[in-house]
Amino acid sequence: MECRLSNGEVYDYLKKDGGEKVLLLVHGNYASANHWDVFLEKIPSKYTVYAPDLRGYGRSTYNQPIEDFKTFAYDLKLFCDHFSLNKITIIGWSNGGGIALQFAAMYPNLVEKMVLLASMPAGGYPAYDENNKRYQTREAIEKDPMLNRLVEAQKMKEFAFFTEAIEQLMFVKGRQALGERFEGYIEAAIQQRNMMDVAHAANVFNITDIDNDAAEGTGEINNIQAETFLLWGNKDVLTTREMTTTLLEDLKRAGVNVIFRELDAGHAFVIEEVDEVIRELENFFQR
């Protein structure tokens, strides 16, 4: 399904009809709404669930390049307006966690609860050069050898390249456990059209009170009012324990009511450990 936002972008989305409680799912990088497929199958029917492809991902348009995570957050606000959603639980996975944080800071009255799954930090997902120095400009990121290799692999549709990278970085149980779904996840990574833009936006994202090497802190984290659930897997090699601890500390310092749980899982636990994730969410929602 698709909807045309008032800014001209067209968002493709998945929806599961259900009860009055609305969940808005925000996927991560090298992903799309298809990565929520198992979650949508398993989530109880008492919830109405929307899972859009973000701008430049999946089947959504990329008419205007994103400038920062505020662009994604604004798109999601227009998405909510389109469906007259006025009270939601936003669930962000990985980079989607950063977008959920930005959304909750920009539109606090719209967010009833927030769930962060293997989320990037509130001070950005850092990109480093060969000397382990954080990039400070878009121009520097555009010269990064690994990012350029990823862009080239996308252009050439190197399925094998993305298969190996994503299996190693995101999953613990391996592609065999996922069956035919795994190919769909790889296709979503190849479809992405905004890789450099997102790498820069993630690097300079910083809604904390603390400046870092890439960006000054905006302090917007202090606007978040939603009770928040932070869930992380201890086998995650993309979102590290240090990143997760920093995010937890930033949220607490901002006065956010936050609950933390640790799973014995990797980065893609929303797929591989979906039953446990839903149990944890149900407990959180019933608070």
Side-chain angles (χ1 to χ4, degrees):
M1 295 183 286
E2 65 179 37
C3 70
R4 181 174 294 275
L5 306 183
S6 60
N7 61 5
E9 300 292 342
V10 178
Y11 261 32
D12 199 87
Y13 68 97
L14 303 175
K15 182 185 179 185
K16 182 173 183 176
D17 290 314
E20 293 184 1
K21 190 173 184 65
V22 176
L23 309 182
L24 178 62
L25 311 182
V26 187
H27 65 75
N29 208 21
Y30 311 113
S32 73
N34 286 341
H35 283 69
W36 296 106
D37 55 358
V38 184
F39 183 90
L40 286 165
E41 291 171 9
K42 298 274 190 172
I43 193 73
S45 59
K46 60 185 173 182
Y47 303 105
T48 294
V49 189
Y50 293 86
D53 287 337
L54 298 173
R55 189 192 304 193
Y57 291 91
R59 290 178 292 273
S60 290
T61 59
Y62 200 53
N63 298 329
Q64 293 294 323
I66 65 105
E67 297 180 1
D68 48 34
F69 278 14
K70 288 184 179 180
T71 310
F72 286 130
Y74 181 61
D75 278 358
L76 290 174
K77 175 60 165 60
L78 296 182
F79 184 85
C80 290
D81 291 346
H82 181 89
F83 294 103
S84 300
L85 307 179
N86 53 32
K87 190 62 69 173
I88 66 169
T89 291
I90 190 165
I91 302 179
W93 172 41
S94 192
N95 260 27
I99 296 166
L101 285 161
Q102 182 69 71
F103 186 92
M106 290 172 63
Y107 309 108
N109 294 330
L110 186 57
V111 182
E112 184 177 34
K113 289 180 182 288
M114 177 166 59
V115 178
L116 303 173
L117 307 175
S119 176
M120 63 177 287
Y125 195 92
Y128 295 107
D129 64 18
E130 66 276 8
N131 298 314
N132 206 33
K133 299 290 186 180
R134 188 168 181 172
Y135 290 125
Q136 298 182 22
T137 66
R138 165 65 185 261
E139 292 72 22
I141 281 182
E142 288 179 341
K143 297 176 183 177
D144 182 81
M146 179 52 69
L147 279 172
N148 276 282
R149 177 68 184 93
L150 287 165
V151 170
E152 180 64 21
Q154 282 184 319
K155 290 179 180 178
M156 301 303 295
K157 299 187 183 304
E158 295 183 36
F159 200 92
F161 175 87
F162 279 99
T163 296
E164 182 177 358
I166 288 176
E167 184 176 30
Q168 290 181 0
L169 294 173
M170 290 180 59
F171 295 96
V172 173
K173 296 181 178 180
R175 74 185 84 167
Q176 288 75 19
L178 299 169
E180 294 180 359
R181 296 182 191 272
F182 185 78
E183 290 189 7
Y185 302 151
I186 302 304
E187 289 172 359
I190 292 174
Q191 282 180 310
Q192 184 177 341
R193 284 141 287 151
N194 57 18
M195 186 177 295
M196 286 293 183
D197 297 329
V198 171
H200 172 64
N203 186 52
V204 300
F205 176 68
N206 187 2
I207 62 169
T208 75
D209 291 317
I210 303 170
D211 298 346
N212 59 41
D213 291 340
E216 295 180 356
T218 67
E220 292 170 285
I221 194 171
N222 296 291
N223 298 335
I224 296 174
Q225 299 174 11
E227 184 179 23
T228 298
F229 183 37
L230 175 58
L231 195 60
W232 175 75
N234 57 23
K235 292 184 174 67
D236 194 334
V237 298
L238 290 175
T239 304
T240 64
R241 182 180 295 276
E242 181 182 4
M243 290 178 180
T244 304
T245 300
T246 299
L247 173 56
L248 183 60
E249 291 173 349
D250 286 335
L251 289 166
K252 288 181 176 180
R253 188 165 49 249
V256 177
N257 182 7
V258 57
I259 298 166
F260 173 68
R261 294 285 186 272
E262 179 178 322
L263 299 180
D264 184 25
H267 192 70
F269 58 72
V270 71
I271 298 169
E272 293 188 307
E273 306 296 343
V274 64
D275 291 329
E276 187 172 1
V277 170
I278 289 175
R279 281 195 298 271
E280 291 282 0
L281 294 187
E282 289 272 73
N283 291 336
F284 173 62
F285 294 152
Q286 291 168 12
R287 286 175 53 87

PDB file of all heavy atoms in Angstrom, residues 11 48 58 79 90 95 122 192 210:
ATOM      1  N   TYR A  11       4.998   7.375   0.382  1.00  0.00           N
ATOM      2  CA  TYR A  11       5.454   6.349   1.315  1.00  0.00           C
ATOM      3  C   TYR A  11       4.731   5.037   1.046  1.00  0.00           C
ATOM      4  O   TYR A  11       3.501   4.975   1.050  1.00  0.00           O
ATOM      5  CB  TYR A  11       5.176   6.791   2.756  1.00  0.00           C
ATOM      6  CG  TYR A  11       6.373   7.370   3.476  1.00  0.00           C
ATOM      7  CD1 TYR A  11       7.362   8.071   2.795  1.00  0.00           C
ATOM      8  CD2 TYR A  11       6.520   7.221   4.863  1.00  0.00           C
ATOM      9  CE1 TYR A  11       8.452   8.591   3.446  1.00  0.00           C
ATOM     10  CE2 TYR A  11       7.611   7.747   5.529  1.00  0.00           C
ATOM     11  CZ  TYR A  11       8.572   8.430   4.812  1.00  0.00           C
ATOM     12  OH  TYR A  11       9.657   8.947   5.461  1.00  0.00           O
ATOM     13  N   THR A  48      -3.249  -1.868  16.222  1.00  0.00           N
ATOM     14  CA  THR A  48      -3.194  -1.461  14.823  1.00  0.00           C
ATOM     15  C   THR A  48      -1.766  -1.021  14.545  1.00  0.00           C
ATOM     16  O   THR A  48      -1.228  -0.174  15.267  1.00  0.00           O
ATOM     17  CB  THR A  48      -4.171  -0.314  14.528  1.00  0.00           C
ATOM     18  OG1 THR A  48      -5.511  -0.793  14.695  1.00  0.00           O
ATOM     19  CG2 THR A  48      -3.998   0.203  13.103  1.00  0.00           C
ATOM     20  N   GLY A  58      13.285   0.967   0.421  1.00  0.00           N
ATOM     21  CA  GLY A  58      12.223   0.119  -0.076  1.00  0.00           C
ATOM     22  C   GLY A  58      11.557   0.692  -1.306  1.00  0.00           C
ATOM     23  O   GLY A  58      12.216   1.101  -2.264  1.00  0.00           O
ATOM     24  N   PHE A  79       2.926  11.409   7.701  1.00  0.00           N
ATOM     25  CA  PHE A  79       2.330  10.079   7.598  1.00  0.00           C
ATOM     26  C   PHE A  79       1.227   9.926   8.642  1.00  0.00           C
ATOM     27  O   PHE A  79       0.119   9.443   8.333  1.00  0.00           O
ATOM     28  CB  PHE A  79       3.418   9.022   7.781  1.00  0.00           C
ATOM     29  CG  PHE A  79       2.960   7.604   7.603  1.00  0.00           C
ATOM     30  CD1 PHE A  79       2.908   7.034   6.339  1.00  0.00           C
ATOM     31  CD2 PHE A  79       2.616   6.825   8.693  1.00  0.00           C
ATOM     32  CE1 PHE A  79       2.502   5.714   6.159  1.00  0.00           C
ATOM     33  CE2 PHE A  79       2.213   5.509   8.535  1.00  0.00           C
ATOM     34  CZ  PHE A  79       2.148   4.949   7.259  1.00  0.00           C
ATOM     35  N   ILE A  90       5.647   4.750  19.276  1.00  0.00           N
ATOM     36  CA  ILE A  90       6.635   4.662  18.195  1.00  0.00           C
ATOM     37  C   ILE A  90       7.699   3.647  18.589  1.00  0.00           C
ATOM     38  O   ILE A  90       8.197   3.644  19.722  1.00  0.00           O
ATOM     39  CB  ILE A  90       7.246   6.039  17.878  1.00  0.00           C
ATOM     40  CG1 ILE A  90       8.073   5.968  16.590  1.00  0.00           C
ATOM     41  CG2 ILE A  90       8.038   6.614  19.042  1.00  0.00           C
ATOM     42  CD1 ILE A  90       8.424   7.320  16.001  1.00  0.00           C
ATOM     43  N   ASN A  95      19.022   2.394  13.460  1.00  0.00           N
ATOM     44  CA  ASN A  95      18.940   3.801  13.074  1.00  0.00           C
ATOM     45  C   ASN A  95      17.529   4.351  13.282  1.00  0.00           C
ATOM     46  O   ASN A  95      17.349   5.540  13.558  1.00  0.00           O
ATOM     47  CB  ASN A  95      19.326   3.976  11.599  1.00  0.00           C
ATOM     48  CG  ASN A  95      20.755   4.447  11.429  1.00  0.00           C
ATOM     49  OD1 ASN A  95      21.613   4.189  12.266  1.00  0.00           O
ATOM     50  ND2 ASN A  95      21.019   5.130  10.335  1.00  0.00           N
ATOM     51  N   ALA A 122      21.757   8.694  21.273  1.00  0.00           N
ATOM     52  CA  ALA A 122      21.155  10.019  21.076  1.00  0.00           C
ATOM     53  C   ALA A 122      22.193  11.041  20.625  1.00  0.00           C
ATOM     54  O   ALA A 122      21.838  12.141  20.190  1.00  0.00           O
ATOM     55  CB  ALA A 122      20.487  10.489  22.364  1.00  0.00           C
ATOM     56  N   GLN A 192      18.075   0.496  -1.181  1.00  0.00           N
ATOM     57  CA  GLN A 192      18.298   1.785  -0.504  1.00  0.00           C
ATOM     58  C   GLN A 192      18.998   2.784  -1.430  1.00  0.00           C
ATOM     59  O   GLN A 192      19.973   2.451  -2.094  1.00  0.00           O
ATOM     60  CB  GLN A 192      19.141   1.563   0.755  1.00  0.00           C
ATOM     61  CG  GLN A 192      19.365   2.806   1.579  1.00  0.00           C
ATOM     62  CD  GLN A 192      20.145   2.522   2.850  1.00  0.00           C
ATOM     63  OE1 GLN A 192      20.217   1.374   3.293  1.00  0.00           O
ATOM     64  NE2 GLN A 192      20.724   3.540   3.446  1.00  0.00           N
ATOM     65  N   ILE A 210      25.299  17.428  25.216  1.00  0.00           N
ATOM     66  CA  ILE A 210      26.755  17.361  25.189  1.00  0.00           C
ATOM     67  C   ILE A 210      27.265  17.436  23.753  1.00  0.00           C
ATOM     68  O   ILE A 210      26.853  16.654  22.892  1.00  0.00           O
ATOM     69  CB  ILE A 210      27.238  16.048  25.851  1.00  0.00           C
ATOM     70  CG1 ILE A 210      26.705  15.953  27.282  1.00  0.00           C
ATOM     71  CG2 ILE A 210      28.757  15.971  25.837  1.00  0.00           C
ATOM     72  CD1 ILE A 210      26.917  14.605  27.936  1.00  0.00           C
TER      73      ILE A 210
END
